[in-house]
Amino acid sequence: MSKVEDFLTYEEEQEIVKAIALAELNTSGEIRVHIENHTDLKPLERAKEVFNQLKMNETEQRNGVLFYVGVSDHTFAIIGDKGINDKVENDFWDCTKDVVIASFKNKQYKEGLIKGVLRAGERLKKYFPLLSNDENELPNEISKG
């Protein structure tokens, strides 16, 4: 498998979008998934670039989270915005990343992303609980490059 179009079916993408919406019921944090085929950059560098391209750095509380997948590169990264990084411990994302990668190793891409997204929502609610006036600032759809 080396193409973005082949990575997930439409139905699998919709299940991930539902997981994002579910995860965001617990937190004011904003979660996105981005899938692309290839980059010459290191995964974290590319994830930061995509993060800014998607305007994830413009949320009110700076609490966006990006799951980045490089399909043909077999790469994955998860990053959070400044508002999150200022409040959480350095290894905050490690357990979430480990859950995703464990599923990816078994070619369970949808399952890995859903587990990661739900875990991110759960972890974020401690630092960014859902506010009564919360607005969904970013789309839940998967972006592709």
Side-chain angles (χ1 to χ4, degrees), residues 54-105:
L54 296 175
K55 300 188 182 325
M56 294 184 68
N57 57 330
E58 297 178 13
T59 61
E60 186 176 338
Q61 294 187 58
R62 299 289 305 268
N63 59 356
V65 175
L66 177 66
F67 287 76
Y68 169 84
V69 180
V71 178
S72 68
D73 298 331
H74 302 284
T75 56
F76 172 76
I78 179 172
I79 62 168
D81 204 353
K82 181 178 179 1
I84 296 169
N85 295 335
D86 286 350
K87 292 185 176 190
V88 301
E89 59 278 7
N90 289 336
D91 62 349
F92 183 74
W93 294 118
D94 288 350
C95 64
T96 303
K97 180 179 72 176
D98 292 345
V99 164
V100 175
I101 289 173
S103 291
F104 278 20
K105 284 181 179 175

Side-chain angles (χ1 to χ4, degrees), residues 3 8 14 16 29 33 48 55-56 58 65-67 74 78 83 89 98 101 108 114 121-122 131 133 135 140 143-144:
K3 289 188 177 177
L8 297 167
Q14 293 313 301
I16 293 167
V33 173
K48 288 176 186 172
K55 300 188 182 325
M56 294 184 68
E58 297 178 13
V65 175
L66 177 66
F67 287 76
H74 302 284
I78 179 172
E89 59 278 7
D98 292 345
I101 289 173
Q108 297 173 331
I114 288 174
E122 191 62 34
L131 305 172
N133 63 344
E135 289 182 28
N140 294 343
S143 64
K144 296 178 183 174

Side-chain angles (χ1 to χ4, degrees), residues 2-142:
S2 61
K3 289 188 177 177
V4 172
E5 304 83 42
D6 300 330
F7 186 66
L8 297 167
T9 66
Y10 174 80
E11 291 76 18
E12 289 172 328
E13 286 185 19
Q14 293 313 301
E15 288 182 58
I16 293 167
V17 170
K18 285 181 188 168
I20 292 170
L22 184 62
E24 290 181 355
L25 288 177
N26 295 315
T27 178
S28 61
E30 296 287 336
I31 301 169
R32 300 269 337 244
V33 173
H34 180 81
I35 301 169
E36 65 184 18
N37 200 40
H38 169 74
T39 180
D40 291 328
L41 299 174
K42 292 181 179 171
L44 271 177
E45 289 175 25
R46 180 60 182 146
K48 288 176 186 172
E49 203 174 73
V50 170
F51 193 93
N52 292 327
Q53 288 172 354
L54 296 175
K55 300 188 182 325
M56 294 184 68
N57 57 330
E58 297 178 13
T59 61
E60 186 176 338
Q61 294 187 58
R62 299 289 305 268
N63 59 356
V65 175
L66 177 66
F67 287 76
Y68 169 84
V69 180
V71 178
S72 68
D73 298 331
H74 302 284
T75 56
F76 172 76
I78 179 172
I79 62 168
D81 204 353
K82 181 178 179 1
I84 296 169
N85 295 335
D86 286 350
K87 292 185 176 190
V88 301
E89 59 278 7
N90 289 336
D91 62 349
F92 183 74
W93 294 118
D94 288 350
C95 64
T96 303
K97 180 179 72 176
D98 292 345
V99 164
V100 175
I101 289 173
S103 291
F104 278 20
K105 284 181 179 175
N106 293 318
K107 299 193 182 334
Q108 297 173 331
Y109 306 113
K110 175 198 76 170
E111 293 81 358
L113 287 168
I114 288 174
K115 286 178 190 175
V117 163
L118 293 175
R119 185 173 200 129
E122 191 62 34
R123 304 230 37 225
L124 282 173
K125 77 177 183 181
K126 174 181 175 184
Y127 298 96
F128 297 95
L130 187 66
L131 305 172
S132 59
N133 63 344
D134 185 65
E135 289 182 28
N136 192 10
E137 296 178 77
L138 298 171
N140 294 343
E141 278 69 34
I142 295 171

